[in-house]
Amino acid sequence: KAAEERRMEQARITEENRIAAEAAAEQHRLFLEEKRLTEEKRSEAAHLVAQDQRRESDRIAEEARFAAELVAEEKRIAEQRQMAEKVDWKGESSGTGESC
């Protein structure tokens, strides 16, 4: 009877150990899955940040191009105005087709 009780106790301990090992394996699997998902989210977030930075950089570059075009246009208009003033000052043309 004692040998049977020892065998039953040993079987119970073996089963408990098996269950504990399965639980530990599942816990480890969940940990690895969580780690993978966290890394995926981190990578995705980094990608989105980089994408936003590129968009912002593109927007700033476009604004700089537009500003440069405006400056160039203002310079061209100022040069045309100066040329017109020189012509008027010399008396060659007053803009009305008459000489001064």
Side-chain angles (χ1 to χ4, degrees):
K1 185 175 178 182
E4 180 64 28
E5 286 178 6
R6 280 195 301 270
R7 257 195 324 274
M8 288 181 65
E9 180 65 17
Q10 190 60 41
R12 185 186 62 76
I13 291 171
T14 301
E15 182 62 15
E16 286 176 357
N17 287 341
R18 186 190 63 76
I19 291 170
E22 284 178 4
E26 180 64 10
Q27 189 174 22
H28 183 66
R29 187 193 67 75
L30 291 173
F31 167 77
L32 293 176
E33 180 68 8
E34 183 180 353
K35 184 177 175 183
R36 183 189 65 78
L37 290 173
T38 300
E39 186 55 38
E40 238 177 60
K41 287 181 181 180
R42 186 178 296 126
S43 177
E44 184 178 320
H47 174 73
L48 291 174
V49 166
Q51 195 174 38
D52 285 348
Q53 288 173 340
R54 280 192 299 275
R55 283 188 194 128
E56 182 67 8
S57 179
D58 290 348
R59 184 189 64 77
I60 290 169
E62 184 61 30
E63 287 179 3
R65 279 191 294 276
F66 181 70
E69 289 173 8
L70 284 178
V71 168
E73 182 66 14
E74 288 173 357
K75 183 178 178 184
R76 186 185 62 75
I77 290 169
E79 288 171 352
Q80 287 178 345
R81 196 174 287 137
Q82 283 180 344
M83 293 291 275
E85 288 172 0
K86 283 182 184 177
V87 170
D88 285 346
W89 181 77
K90 290 182 180 177
E92 294 174 4
S93 171
S94 63
T96 61
E98 298 176 12
S99 295
C100 294

